[in-house]
Every structure is written in C-alpha cells, then in structure tokens.
Amino acid sequence: GGSAGRPEIGGDGAGLVDLGAEVDHSDRGGEVTYHGPGQLVGYPIINLLRHGGGPLKYVRTLERTLIATLSEFGVKAESEDRPTGVWIGERKIASIGVKVNRGITTHGFALNVDPDLTYFDHIIACGMPDVATTSMSRELGHHVSVDDAIAAFMPHFGRMFGFELSQVEPTSVQSTLIDTPLPE
C-alpha cells in the first residue's frame, strides 16, 4: 500500500465501495491493484529452490509468459526496460505482485482480458498515478473471453516453467485436497 500502510486507492476509497468493491490488504510485493471479473488472475505456487532461479527470474518469466499469451491474439506487448508488469506502449495490460517466502512463491499476476476498466479510475494502480490501464478487448476492438485467454496461457506457462499442465474443475481439486493425506 501507500504511505503509512494506507493503500493508494484514491481519495478515501468511497468510490470503490459505492461500486460494490471490497478492499483487502495483502502481504505481497507491489502496490494496490484490482482483481475482478474479466481478468485472468493466476497465483502460481512454485518452489523456486527446486525450480531454480530467484524472485527476479520468476517475475521476468511470468512477464514473458504473459507476452507470449498476448501474442497469440495479435497483441504486441513488452516488459523490457519498464516497471514490473506487461505493457502496450504506455498502457499497462498485466500486473504482477508476488511474495517469495523460503523459496515458495505466492500471489501472482492479473491479465486484463475484458474487465470493467472503470474500477481502475478509483485506484492509483501499482503506485503509478499517471498510468493508463488497458485490456485485450480494448486493444483488439472486440470481446475476448477469459476462457480463451486461459487456453492460450496454459501451454506458454508450462513451456516457460517446465511443467505439464492440465485444466481441472474446482470441485475436482477440492476433493483431491480432502482425500490426499498430508505428508508426515
């Protein structure tokens, strides 16, 4: 957040509350951001000690993964020589905020696929007051679904991080977690 631990939400944040948004504090890196419908939000949990590389390499790999995903749709994005995240010119299309504790990553990224961008008018996104936020749909001039973005993202994430990924339903994950005994 902003000064003295207060998030930079613009004014007193009343505009966000009026819109029905909730403000949550987080222990991840980065400043305030928005998560909501129309975004592809990913919170990978990776053991960097086993995977290799530190936090900076991890963040840069996330950026490259998102750039490769956007290229599938004909959107040319970049992160080189820019603040953390993914950019199209001066417009930010994806934010990254991570925490690494004992080599394990938490939190992650948000790619703006087709969100209501007016929510960003009520925050100082990533602590940068003059940054415009954009989305895939705005850049392309037509609706892009989060499901389509997920389908493009997964193979790039797997290739960049060396994982084999499969998509499962949340109920399947929940039952697996319940039925799997914890290691001793």
Side-chain angles (χ1 to χ4, degrees):
S3 61
R6 185 172 174 271
E8 296 181 29
I9 53 179
D12 59 3
L16 285 173
V17 174
D18 291 344
L19 291 170
E22 296 178 17
V23 177
D24 288 317
H25 297 274
S26 171
D27 61 354
R28 60 153 173 77
E31 298 289 338
V32 71
T33 194
Y34 165 76
H35 288 332
Q39 288 184 316
L40 168 52
V41 176
Y43 277 24
I45 301 170
I46 299 174
N47 183 334
L48 294 181
L49 302 176
R50 195 175 304 150
H51 180 68
L56 183 59
K57 179 182 175 188
Y58 171 65
V59 168
R60 296 297 176 241
T61 305
L62 280 179
E63 289 172 338
R64 287 196 315 274
T65 302
L66 292 163
I67 290 168
T69 300
L70 288 163
S71 72
E72 294 280 321
F73 295 86
V75 176
K76 183 170 174 25
E78 61 189 357
S79 62
E80 198 76 24
D81 299 322
R82 304 304 308 262
T84 299
V86 178
W87 300 79
I88 299 170
E90 299 302 312
R91 300 173 306 282
K92 193 167 193 182
I93 195 165
S95 297
I96 296 174
V98 300
K99 179 180 179 182
V100 179
N101 186 15
R102 297 182 184 174
I104 307 296
T105 65
T106 54
H107 303 288
F109 66 89
L111 171 62
N112 295 325
V113 180
D114 192 23
D116 179 349
L117 292 173
T118 61
Y119 280 90
F120 288 96
D121 296 339
H122 299 275
I123 65 173
I124 300 171
C126 306
M128 295 181 282
D130 298 324
V131 169
T133 305
T134 191
S135 69
M136 294 173 69
S137 293
R138 175 171 283 175
E139 294 297 319
L140 292 168
H142 63 80
H143 171 72
V144 178
S145 75
V146 173
D147 286 343
D148 287 345
I150 291 169
F153 174 83
M154 286 182 56
H156 289 294
F157 184 87
R159 179 175 51 81
M160 296 277 192
F161 284 96
F163 296 129
E164 185 174 326
L165 301 177
S166 60
Q167 194 165 351
V168 296
E169 293 302 315
T171 53
S172 171
V173 173
Q174 187 176 22
S175 66
T176 300
L177 291 174
I178 291 170
D179 295 340
T180 303
L182 293 173
E184 295 295 322

